[in-house]
Amino acid sequence: MGANNMGADRTTKVTKAADQSKTYYFDPRTLRKRKRLAAVFFTLAMLSHCVSALLIYLATTQKISYYLGIMIFLPVWIAGYWFGTFFSQVLTLKLPDGTKKCIISKRTKKILNNIVFYMGILLVAVWTYLYITHIFMAEKNTQLTTN
């Protein structure tokens, strides 16, 4: 038990290269930190999407104007998109031979990425629909009042 063996039991095997001749080891603390960081980014992405949905609700119930809603929605939605991207990037580990390895199961990563992505697309689609119908309704109302 010398200084050379300190930390030797703290490493964990991540993957083997494509030719199966090399095994790369990483510190479990580093992998845990990356998982925690990914959880933070996923949470922030979902929170920003929830705020975006709240803005849609407030605009449709006339608590705020559609114009104010869209002006707040855009930066919040962009932040959610970036947090989702950061989430995906933190989970992917690039190995020295150039291959990539996901630090959680690929299926879990795919499901969580799809949740963030499709929720963002759904929010943009709903907001676009509401904004366009609001513009058409405002145009129709102004035409009726000018006659």
Side-chain angles (χ1 to χ4, degrees):
M1 293 285 168
N4 294 338
N5 290 335
M6 288 181 59
D9 57 333
R10 297 189 55 88
T11 59
T12 183
K13 184 173 82 169
V14 173
T15 186
K16 288 190 175 184
D19 62 359
Q20 300 293 316
S21 64
K22 297 179 184 175
T23 303
Y24 299 104
Y25 293 93
F26 294 91
D27 187 11
R29 290 180 296 178
T30 303
L31 296 177
R32 277 194 307 271
K33 286 178 186 177
R34 287 180 77 106
K35 287 179 184 178
R36 287 181 187 142
L37 190 59
V40 167
F41 284 139
F42 180 78
T43 304
L44 289 173
M46 293 307 292
L47 283 175
S48 67
H49 287 329
C50 289
V51 169
S52 298
L54 179 67
L55 288 170
I56 290 172
Y57 172 75
L58 292 175
T60 55
T61 58
Q62 300 297 317
K63 304 270 191 223
I64 61 173
S65 70
Y66 279 92
Y67 301 108
L68 178 61
I70 195 71
M71 294 306 288
I72 298 172
F73 172 80
L74 286 175
V76 170
W77 183 84
I78 290 169
Y81 170 79
W82 281 107
F83 286 135
T85 303
F86 296 154
F87 164 73
S88 179
Q89 292 300 316
V90 166
L91 290 179
T92 304
L93 190 65
K94 189 171 182 181
L95 301 176
D97 64 350
T99 60
K100 294 182 179 180
K101 174 70 178 171
C102 186
I103 61 175
I104 62 173
S105 71
K106 288 184 181 182
R107 180 181 169 159
T108 305
K109 179 183 174 187
K110 186 176 181 179
I111 289 171
L112 294 175
N113 275 336
N114 285 339
I115 289 171
V116 171
F117 177 75
Y118 288 121
M119 190 175 202
I121 295 298
L122 178 68
L123 287 168
V124 168
V126 168
W127 189 259
T128 303
Y129 171 76
L130 291 173
Y131 189 73
I132 289 172
T133 56
H134 175 72
I135 288 174
F136 288 143
M137 292 300 284
E139 231 176 71
K140 183 179 176 183
N141 290 337
T142 56
Q143 289 174 356
L144 290 175
T145 56
T146 57
N147 287 338

